[in-house]
Amino acid sequence: MASGFEHPRVLLVEDDDTVREGVAAALTANGYDVVALSDGTRVVEAMRLRPADVAVLDVGLPVGPDGFAIAARLRSGRGTPVIFLTAADAEEDRLRGFDLGADDYVVKPFSVRELMARLQVVLRRAGIAAGSSLRVRDLVIDLVDREVRRNGALVPLTPLEFDILAALASTPGRPWSKRDLLAHVWGLERYAPHLVEVHVSSLRRKIEQNGNRLLSTARGIGYVVSP
Ligand code: CA
C-alpha cells in the first residue's frame, strides 16, 4: 500500500446520536480507529479483542454505567487514558472526573477541533500516537502535531487545509464528495460546494509541485487521493 497508516483506537461512549455520529465521523476522518457505543453495557466485550488507546466518555448516560463507572473499569484494566464529555453547568462532574484520574474533559457543546486537540495531547502524553502519520507519495502528514512535511521541510497549511488533506489521505482511492468533506471537516450540514472548492484549490497550490497531481477530481463525486 502506498499510504503508511497507524490508527490509534478510540472508545467513544455517548448516548446522543447526533454527537456520537458526528464525533465518530470526524475521528475516522482524522485517522482514528473508532469504537462508538451508545451506552457502557458492552464496553468490556468491545475492548476484549483490541483495547482502546484512549476513551472519550459522556458522563451522563441513561442506560447502564455512567461515564465515571466506565472510566473506573477501564482504569482498573490497562489504565486507558480518559477524556470526559461533561455538561456546561456540571462543575462538580469535572472535579469528580479529575478525582477519578481523568486526563482531560471537554465541555458541551464543543467543536470537533477542540476535542481533536485534547485527544492529541492526551495520546502524546501517553506516548501512543507518536508514530501516527499518513503518507501521500512524498508528503508525510503528522496527525498528532498536525504538520505536513516534504523531505523534512514543513509545508505550511491552514487548519482547514490540513483537515481536508488528512481526510482525503485517510482513504486512498476512495473519493470524498464535497458534501461529506463539508460535514467532516467543517461540521456543516448546509451544502456549500464553493467553500470546499476554494480550500481544495488553495491546498493544491501548496502541496502539488511541477504539475504533479496528488489530489484528483473524481468527476461528479468530489476529490480523491490516488492509492
Ligand atoms: Ca448524555
Side-chain angles (χ1 to χ4, degrees):
M1 210 164 85
S3 301
F5 206 171
E6 289 178 41
H7 314 256
R9 175 168 255 215
V10 182
L11 167 68
L12 169 66
V13 186
E14 164 63 77
D15 60 294
D16 183 311
D17 294 343
T18 311
V19 175
R20 186 182 62 254
E21 284 160 18
V23 169
L27 287 169
T28 305
N30 278 272
Y32 292 93
D33 170 19
V34 185
V35 179
L37 303 173
S38 56
D39 64 63
T41 53
R42 291 180 302 111
V43 162
V44 172
E45 57 179 293
M47 294 293 97
R48 191 164 291 149
L49 220 52
R50 191 185 149 199
D53 297 306
V54 60
V56 177
L57 306 174
D58 182 25
V59 170
L61 295 165
V63 176
D66 67 6
F68 294 137
I70 298 170
R73 202 170 289 177
L74 291 171
R75 295 204 146 269
S76 70
R78 63 200 290 274
T80 310
V82 171
I83 297 175
F84 286 114
L85 306 178
T86 71
D89 54 355
E91 194 188 8
E92 268 173 42
D93 278 356
R94 297 204 281 284
L95 296 175
R96 190 168 160 219
F98 278 121
D99 272 354
L100 283 169
D103 295 272
D104 210 340
Y105 65 86
V106 177
V107 180
K108 292 180 179 180
F110 56 88
S111 71
V112 162
R113 190 163 295 160
E114 181 187 357
L115 175 61
M116 226 53 82
R118 304 295 181 88
L119 263 176
Q120 283 151 8
V121 170
V122 166
L123 283 170
R124 192 180 310 159
R125 209 186 284 150
I128 287 161
S132 181
S133 63
L134 298 167
R135 187 179 283 274
V136 178
R137 279 183 242 171
D138 58 347
L139 288 182
V140 177
I141 305 161
D142 184 328
L143 297 169
V144 179
D145 291 332
R146 295 178 58 81
E147 284 176 357
V148 175
R149 289 181 184 273
R150 168 177 278 132
N151 303 322
L154 194 66
V155 180
L157 299 182
T158 66
L160 275 178
E161 289 161 358
F162 180 91
D163 288 340
I164 293 170
L165 181 61
L168 292 172
S170 70
T171 61
R174 182 171 79 72
W176 282 67
S177 69
K178 291 172 192 170
R179 191 185 294 276
D180 283 348
L181 277 174
L182 274 166
H184 284 277
V185 174
W186 280 265
L188 290 181
E189 299 294 329
R190 191 167 51 83
Y191 190 44
H194 180 66
L195 195 59
V196 184
E197 287 156 16
V198 166
H199 289 277
V200 167
S201 74
S202 158
L203 171 64
R204 271 181 168 152
R205 276 198 298 279
K206 293 179 180 176
I207 62 170
E208 293 178 349
Q209 287 181 330
N210 314 320
N212 188 359
R213 276 269 126 123
L214 292 178
L215 306 184
S216 309
T217 304
R219 232 168 256 296
I221 305 174
Y223 304 100
V224 64
V225 159
S226 326

